[in-house]
Amino acid sequence: MKQFYLLTLFILLFATNCFASNFIEGFEDIPLMKGLIQTKNDDFSFANEETGITEVKLNAKKKINFSNVKKFYKESLSQMGWSIKNESAESISFYRENTVLDIQKIKNTPLKISISLKNIY
């Protein structure tokens, strides 16, 4: 009986941690880095039969530098099947199947970034 309670507790803790992660609204599986908030009024989305693009803006709610943002997305997106396409001091791009994800620094202080997801067919 004790094992049942321990297993139940473990499952509840695991489920809570899995669903506690925040994702960027408008993207299926792109996590929202802690310390960043999404600016809802700046979202953009367009799609037709051949291609689609979604773009959102994120602002830092505390002091974060862009190198920390790149590090977070390198680690988290690689676990989700994304590969780095290219990287510079001001941006980083990933690809997966027919999709490109661009993360670009717009403003340094306070940090503001743009994330765009492009489907290429």
Side-chain angles (χ1 to χ4, degrees):
M1 193 63 146
K2 183 179 177 183
Q3 291 174 337
F4 173 75
Y5 289 119
L6 288 174
L7 180 61
T8 304
L9 179 63
F10 174 76
I11 290 171
L12 287 173
L13 289 173
F14 179 74
T16 302
N17 286 334
C18 287
F19 296 112
S21 302
N22 291 327
F23 291 89
I24 298 173
E25 190 175 313
F27 295 80
E28 288 181 12
D29 62 351
I30 308 300
L32 179 62
M33 180 180 168
K34 187 176 182 175
L36 295 176
I37 55 172
Q38 187 170 350
T39 309
K40 306 275 184 193
N41 297 339
D42 289 337
D43 294 356
F44 171 80
S45 186
F46 170 81
N48 62 25
E49 294 175 5
E50 298 166 1
T51 189
I53 182 169
T54 301
E55 182 178 301
V56 299
K57 303 282 192 299
L58 304 176
N59 294 313
K61 60 182 180 182
K62 61 180 185 177
K63 189 170 179 157
I64 299 173
N65 62 40
F66 192 65
S67 62
N68 290 340
V69 171
K70 290 194 306 184
K71 181 180 177 185
F72 171 81
Y73 284 105
K74 281 182 189 179
E75 292 172 1
S76 59
L77 293 177
S78 68
Q79 297 173 10
M80 298 176 175
W82 292 90
S83 300
I84 295 176
K85 183 178 178 185
N86 57 42
E87 179 179 2
S88 72
E90 305 290 316
S91 67
I92 186 166
S93 296
F94 299 88
Y95 69 91
R96 180 176 70 183
E97 297 174 12
N98 294 332
T99 307
V100 175
L101 178 73
D102 292 317
I103 302 172
Q104 183 175 10
K105 179 173 66 169
I106 298 172
K107 185 178 175 186
N108 204 28
T109 307
L111 181 65
K112 183 174 185 176
I113 64 172
S114 169
I115 297 183
S116 62
L117 186 69
K118 300 171 191 154
N119 295 323
I120 305 166
Y121 297 103

